[in-house]
Amino acid sequence: MAGTPARRAPYKDTLQPALHRRFSSTAILLLAVSYLEALLLASWSSCEQSTQPRLSQLRNRHALTPTPLDFWSWFPIGPAGVRTAIIFTCGLSILILRIAHYHVGLKTTESGLQTLSASLLNLQTYETGFWYGISSLLFCPVFLFSMSDTSNLRWITYFSGDRARLNERPLFLACYLGTCALLQTMAHYRLDIDRLDLSLPKPKAGEQNKKLAVLPRSFQNVLVQLPAVFAGCIKQAVSALFLALVLYYVFLRSFAWGWALGFLRPFYNLPKTSILPPSWPSDVYLLARCIYAGTLVNFVWSAGNTAFSIFMVKEPLKNGKPLTSESKDANGTRRQAIYCDIDRKDGPMWAQVYAICMEVLKSIESRVDEYGKPAVAAAPEPAATVPKQRVFAPLRQDSIFYHQGHTTGLKGGVEAAWDQLARAPGATPVSELSPLAKKTWKGAKDRMLSKEQQEALSPDRLRGEFEQWTASVMKIELVGALFRHDFRTRFAAAVLGTPYAEPALYVNTAQALCQLSVHSLAEDQFGNVHRDVASIVRTLTAVIRKVEALKVRFPSHWTDPTGVKESPEVDQILDVLRTGLEQVVAKFEPYSSDLRLSLGELRMAKEAAAKPEEPAPRAQDAMGKPKSVEEEKTESRRAQRREQQRIEMEQVR
């Protein structure tokens, strides 16, 4: 007997076609970029030279008529089409990789070193590097075959007739393209290219390019970003060149030379020895062609990644209407039917929406409440062991130094401090000294060190110097990227969870819950929503107040040189929560007594919904310029140090 077929999820009828259309749009743009690069790699100069006699004959009669060779240089069905297909395959492999590895949300790992260690232990990283390497391997022969003979980029060269020799120049270019793949793999995880940002800012109507107005908005967004992407590709190609020179001449040259000889010997009469050539192949012309090839292959990758990241987060619209407007399950996807659907299988539709949204919002509250609390460890089960009988007497707790009576004064204080140091080596014995011993210690310190030296060796001064040194070191891009613990990611992890923090989930949840509540006054025929309005107001108020309180007391890490407490993801959620709470309170305040909302709860809700005040402008220096965060922190430390010195002087007096 055949089993019951699995029920198809209703959202797949609308979501999957939309995703297919977005992938098709990405592939079309990538195909256009591949065709453009195929035209750039065409041998236009050789065509002009070969058709020069023909052009000289027809110059007077048909000066604007193209020759057949010029036609085949750009016609898609021909050499240009073959190059386009191979280059498109280089980008298509990366698109398939993006589909397999995409994620939604900001990575909340605290430092780049943690991200690096996690990536090195993840098989997904090596899969990404493998496909970037395959892509560069496919692009290499296309670029080499497109170069003219004068570029000296053929794998085999002939000297003295038929003596075949392996050419090291294309070998270096192939290693350079492999280095581009390695560098792109590192950038793929360093920049978190797999992330789909659902909260991408939408351009305003006045910001649209009038020349691109005939294209859809998503295509306009991609085309506007391509110039900056191309400039970044040039920069990355130059960086890969310096890395390739180091890797090739230090590690890869002998290995790559022997491997290439072993691969080509069955096809050519090459020398049996594998001695490296005495001269280096990297001249100025080869380096320039390497940058050219690296820019093209990086642009294929970057254009595909940019288009995928923009097209896949398009607004869920079809012909200007929501994707769910044509859904078979209208009651589960359209707002006006939610209030009336009370006979659903798992309960009324509003009750299901309310429960899901409240669970999402309360998850923020629970994370904030749990922050800073020690993890509750499971109590170990008591082992049924038989207590051992004591063999020796317990350790003595009396003083180490033996005296007939009680010793006082300096000698007694020193002995007490020595006794404490022997019993607890980690404790500081100076605080346990007697007043006479403290005075003697201070006098010895004054005789050995001057006031300036004592101030320089004070804990506050040393701490301030260490913080300044740390801030200067963390400003170095390579060091800071590995060891910096940004406030943004740490605070987002505490509020939104790990390993990814996606604000769009909470933004959409708050907007849906608040808008459904507001519109229920006119559309809820059965009055089911008003019973939950009080709980919605209390929950939004509690979440806003707790997140704001946590942000105030959330500490900055010592590796963060800026000291700025900003987290755009959390701030975006707070803004939406304040706006929604303000709308709900404004609509339902006249019915507060029926909803059982006290005046105190309404006052707290209004305070939570109020927009925060803008930060005061920074202090200015003598030249009238605003001071940096480091300068403000330095002045604050100096003021604290002066206040501490004043207190110490008063105590001495």
Side-chain angles (χ1 to χ4, degrees), residues 199-210:
S199 59
L200 283 176
K202 304 296 187 299
K204 299 179 181 179
E207 298 178 355
Q208 296 295 326
N209 194 333
K210 296 181 179 180

Side-chain angles (χ1 to χ4, degrees), residues 7 10 324 326-334 341 344:
R7 181 176 177 269
T324 55
E326 301 176 357
S327 174
K328 297 179 181 179
D329 184 16
N331 290 346
T333 54
R334 284 164 46 184
D341 192 353
R344 207 168 180 84

Side-chain angles (χ1 to χ4, degrees), residues 139-160:
F139 186 84
C140 182
V142 175
F143 184 82
L144 292 177
F145 292 155
S146 301
M147 296 292 102
S148 60
D149 294 337
T150 57
S151 62
N152 191 17
L153 286 177
R154 299 293 180 257
W155 286 99
I156 301 297
T157 57
Y158 294 92
F159 296 96
S160 302

